[in-house]
Amino acid sequence: MARPVALPAVIRTRADLHQALSRARRPLGLVPTMGALHEGHVSLIEKAHADNATVLVTIFVNPRQFNESADFEAYPRDEAADVRICGAAGASFVFIPSVEEIYPPGFQTSVRVGPLTEPLEGAARPGHFEGVTTVVAILLTLAGAERAYFGQKDAQQLLVVRRMAQDLGIATEIVACPIVREADGLALSSRNVRLTAAQRAAAPALRRALLAARARYDAGERDAEILRAAMRVTLAAEPLAAPEYVSCADPATLGELDEIEGPALLSMAVRFGAVRLIDNEPVP
Ligand code: AMP
């Protein structure tokens, strides 16, 4: 029989969040999400639960970070299931604000981080990171948590959020969590449920491409273009995969590398029909 779990308190307004957190035991761990929670999110919540006395999960499908309105409309939503998952993973509070609660009438502030947001996801999705950093700045400020948890799955987002927190003097420690994958290597993503059966079968091509490049690196190859070519060749063998970019970049600046002399970040974005997937692998 499944163990009964206490449902966390669902909070919908900034004022109620302020009230609830004023009485919460510290330290507080914050896990920002867009819902449709899966084991990747669960790993963040469990890590937050292990590190902190109280865990706050936020669920907000942030319209400002979607550069395609069809992607925003199609984004999966299941609040009741999400709240249960949050409780089972150890969250005490789930903040599920409306769009108007996050962006009240008259809202006119935006947070934009510089060059780190320009390549890769920033180039492919105009306006995406400005939407992310604006909402994350609001959530970090409202929560005032000791720690906030982000997945390595969105490697550029993690770098950009760290940069923003440091630049704005936000005291919350930004904690990075490893990528959680399916048994066949596909990184868990809320968008995976939108893949057709054939696309789902093809989607582990991202992981295969990253591993092909890593194998070349492990064999001593240090020419970044050869690693990018290894990823392209692997993806080209999968007819349903339409690559948007492949990258072998400096993991601190995200500038594309020629010769690999230190650590590097292999990453890619690939479309399967209407669904866009990303993945990455740090080397060494
Ligand atoms: P999202 O709901 O997609 O905005 O993701 C919320 C947080 O969960 C972000 O910090 C993501 O990087 C993280 N996340 C999403 N998928 C995974 C995964 N497969 N493994 C680890 N973290 C993840």
Side-chain angles (χ1 to χ4, degrees), residues 205-254:
L206 279 86
R207 180 67 177 152
R208 280 201 301 280
L210 290 168
L211 292 181
R214 203 183 72 182
R216 300 299 290 267
Y217 177 90
D218 290 342
E221 183 59 64
R222 293 295 182 270
D223 182 333
E225 188 49 32
I226 291 180
L227 300 194
R228 288 187 286 266
M231 293 189 270
R232 280 189 212 106
V233 166
T234 310
L235 291 171
E238 178 44 71
L240 296 182
E244 225 171 58
Y245 65 78
V246 299
S247 163
C248 176
D250 181 318
T253 65
L254 300 181

Side-chain angles (χ1 to χ4, degrees), residues 32-34 38 40-41 44 75 150-151 153-154 157 178-180 188:
T33 81
M34 297 202 300
H38 51 63
H41 300 111
L44 270 57
Y75 202 82
F150 291 85
K153 158 95 187 327
D154 300 277
Q157 169 174 284
I179 302 177
V180 177
L188 295 190

